[in-house]
Each structure stands twice: as C-alpha cells, then as structure tokens.
Amino acid sequence: MPSAAQRPRITVFSLGGTISMEGPAGSGVVPKLDANDLLAGIPQLAAVAQVTGESVSKAASVELGFADVATLAERIAAAVAGGADGVVVTQGTDTLEETAYLLDLLLDLDEPVVVTGAMRDPTKPGADGPANLAAAIRVAASPAARGLGVVAVMNDEVHAARFVAKRHTHKTSAFGSGTIGPLGWVIEDRVRIALRPAQRTPTIAWKGPPPRVILLPMVFGGDAQALRDLTREPVAGMVVEAVGGGHVPSAMVEPLAQLAATAPVVLASRTGGGETLDKTYGYAGGEIDLLGRGLIGAGLLDARKARLLLSLLLGAGATREEISAAFARASA
Ligand code: ASP
C-alpha cells in the first residue's frame, strides 16, 4: 500500500444537493452537509487518497447558474495548479448533466474531474451518497481516468460529461449515456475505463455571463404560438428540440428560417440518443429543409447540452462560422 504521502491528492468541492440533505421526518430534506461531513462518512477512502474537502455552497442544484459553474471551474483549476491530482464535485443530480458539461467546456485539464451526487438522501435506508462519493474519489485518483475530460460517476458507472443525462426521477440507476453507454465502471477497488472518447470537448473561454439562449421543444401538433411568444424580444440564439432526427411542423419552418437569418438556431433531437440527421428527409420541416435554411445541426449533443455550448460560444463572441464549426467538432 502506498504511504500516506504517496497517495494521490484529491480535492472534493461540495455544492449541496440530495447527497448533502437532511431534515426532520415528515418535513422534507434540505441541504445541510458540507464536503467534510460527507468525507467523514467514508473514512476507508483515506487509504486510497489524501482527500481535502472544500464547501462551495449548500443549494438544490436547480439554483445553480452559469456564473456559479464558472467560479467553480476557476477553483478547480486553482486546486490542480496547487498540486491536486484529481477533483470531485458533489452536487444535486437534477442539473448534474449540465454542470458536468459546462465544466468540460470551461476546463482544459488532464487531471480527472468527477461530478457525483445521490438519488437517496442520507436519511434513507440504502442512501447511495457515500458509495457514489467513494467511487468518484477512486476515479479521480485513478491514472486511467486522466485525459478523459470531465466525467460523472453515479451507481458505480463512469459517464462522459458530453453524453450523460438523468433519465429517471428516483432510481439509483437514473444516469445513463443514451448514445454510447458508460465509459467504464468501478468494481471492488478498481477503476476500469473500457472506452475513451475519440476526441476531447473543445475548451471555451469564460467572458462573463452569456446572453440568453432559448430552448424550444417541439410538441405533437406543433405550437407556433410558443415560438412567436418566445421571440417577441430579440434573442441571442435558440435551440430547437425537434422530433426524431431533427424535424418540425412545416408551419414553423418560415419563422425559424427568419430567426436563423439574424441569430444562430441549433437543431437538436428530443429522442435522447443518436445524432441529428442531415441528408435523409426531404419534406418541408425535415432536416434537409431546415439545415438548408441556415439552422445548425446539434449532431451528438442533446438540446440541453447544445444550449450550453451555444451559450458559451455566444458569450465568448464567436462568429456564425465559428459556432457552426464548434457544433461540427462536437459531433465528430
Ligand atoms: N433531487 C436533487 C438531487 O438529487 C436535488 C438537487 O438536484 O439538488 O440532488
């Protein structure tokens, strides 16, 4: 066993979420525990790594915003510059997929950065927080996880930030990567990375809170009024969460094309897996029609991840060509 001084140095940042929640029976749980409280529940991990806890916030994850994650990214970069071999972030699972991808876009580190949380709060039998935190620390301490970009570790699985999504309201197996599956897993005391992404997520400089990017879901029968309502004021950009491989009702084509003439409009799919098409369907409102009218395919990114990428690009002052190129790269 490595001596204490040889063990990897891991910094754990706590943001709140179910993993940190407690409360009297019957009145609901709220964030209470900080990073050191969480670490006190897994003393065995001291044999794996030298772990330091830093409490960032005690919030439900729906309260997090772009600026919070940008500040966290700075703290993570500072921890690594100060000698950390890996970093773990604990937060609520409701927006974990967004935080993980934003960190992936903002950070350019070889050191593992792992986001985790819990589906069952600490007052519940079988609470999964300690197991998830222990697995996340093992991944953050593992040389095999270097160079992967930011990952999420939940339920002993390792997921790439670009693909991970919460797909269930309460199961401990709520997280998945619909398109590619997990990159690896934790078993006994081992971290197994079975797949490595073909390319890293591009890094985008943070230039302050980005302008507003709207996400518009397509619904059965179409809702052209929603599009008119949302674009009454000028918008910096929009992500259309289209049906299937990237399709909208024909009545929405013209207004979307008009918007795309003045602001980037990204075409994503609501299916939760696969990538957007670009040369299959020729009907009005099909992907060939929409891409021909200036919409930009989201490729492998779902609508929520596409909104984050477009927001950061606009915030960094990217041109239309740079935005198209970034989405093409995100799907390559
Ligand atoms: N239900 C949430 C969680 O799993 C609460 C939150 O996202 O903060 O942590």
Side-chain angles (χ1 to χ4, degrees), residues 126-143:
D128 54 335
N132 287 340
L133 180 55
I137 291 171
R138 284 192 190 280
V139 173
S142 169

Side-chain angles (χ1 to χ4, degrees), residues 99-123:
T99 304
Y101 187 52
L102 272 176
L103 289 174
D104 206 21
L105 288 166
L106 291 168
L107 290 167
D108 187 15
L109 298 172
D110 278 335
E111 288 77 5
V113 176
V114 183
V115 187
T116 192
M119 295 300 295
R120 295 186 187 143
D121 68 71
T123 70

Side-chain angles (χ1 to χ4, degrees), residues 147-169:
L148 286 180
V150 176
V151 295
V153 170
M154 292 291 293
N155 201 31
D156 283 341
E157 291 181 342
V158 182
H159 293 273
R162 188 154 44 120
F163 296 104
V164 72
K166 184 176 183 178
R167 287 279 173 255
H168 199 277
T169 55

Side-chain angles (χ1 to χ4, degrees), residues 8 14 16 25 41 64 66 83 86 130-131 145 163 175 180 215 248 270 275 289 299:
S14 64
L64 296 170
F66 284 93
F163 296 104
F175 282 78
I180 65 162
L215 196 163
V248 306
R270 69 175 190 174
E275 50 188 291
D289 185 17

Side-chain angles (χ1 to χ4, degrees), residues 108-245:
D108 187 15
L109 298 172
D110 278 335
E111 288 77 5
V113 176
V114 183
V115 187
T116 192
M119 295 300 295
R120 295 186 187 143
D121 68 71
T123 70
K124 297 243 167 32
D128 54 335
N132 287 340
L133 180 55
I137 291 171
R138 284 192 190 280
V139 173
S142 169
R146 286 180 63 88
L148 286 180
V150 176
V151 295
V153 170
M154 292 291 293
N155 201 31
D156 283 341
E157 291 181 342
V158 182
H159 293 273
R162 188 154 44 120
F163 296 104
V164 72
K166 184 176 183 178
R167 287 279 173 255
H168 199 277
T169 55
H170 52 86
K171 282 185 183 174
T172 53
S173 58
F175 282 78
S177 298
T179 299
I180 65 162
L183 300 180
W185 51 86
V186 180
I187 170 71
E188 297 176 334
D189 58 357
R190 302 187 298 283
V191 173
R192 177 74 57 207
I193 301 299
L195 303 168
R196 303 188 77 83
Q199 59 158 9
R200 289 276 288 269
T201 293
T203 308
I204 303 177
W206 173 254
K207 302 264 176 71
R212 180 164 171 243
V213 171
I214 289 171
L215 196 163
L216 176 70
M218 290 298 114
V219 291
F220 180 75
D223 183 3
Q225 185 61 41
L227 177 56
R228 282 192 290 276
D229 292 347
L230 285 169
T231 52
R232 201 160 286 135
E233 302 291 327
V235 299
M238 176 181 280
V239 175
V240 178
E241 190 178 44
V243 299

Side-chain angles (χ1 to χ4, degrees), residues 16-19 21 31 59-62 91-96 117-120 166 169:
T18 295
I19 192 168
M21 292 196 190
S61 68
V62 75
Q91 74 151 85
T93 57
D94 290 352
T95 65
L96 191 153
M119 295 300 295
R120 295 186 187 143
K166 184 176 183 178
T169 55

Side-chain angles (χ1 to χ4, degrees), residues 35-43:
N36 289 322
D37 298 324
L38 299 179
L39 290 169
I42 48 169

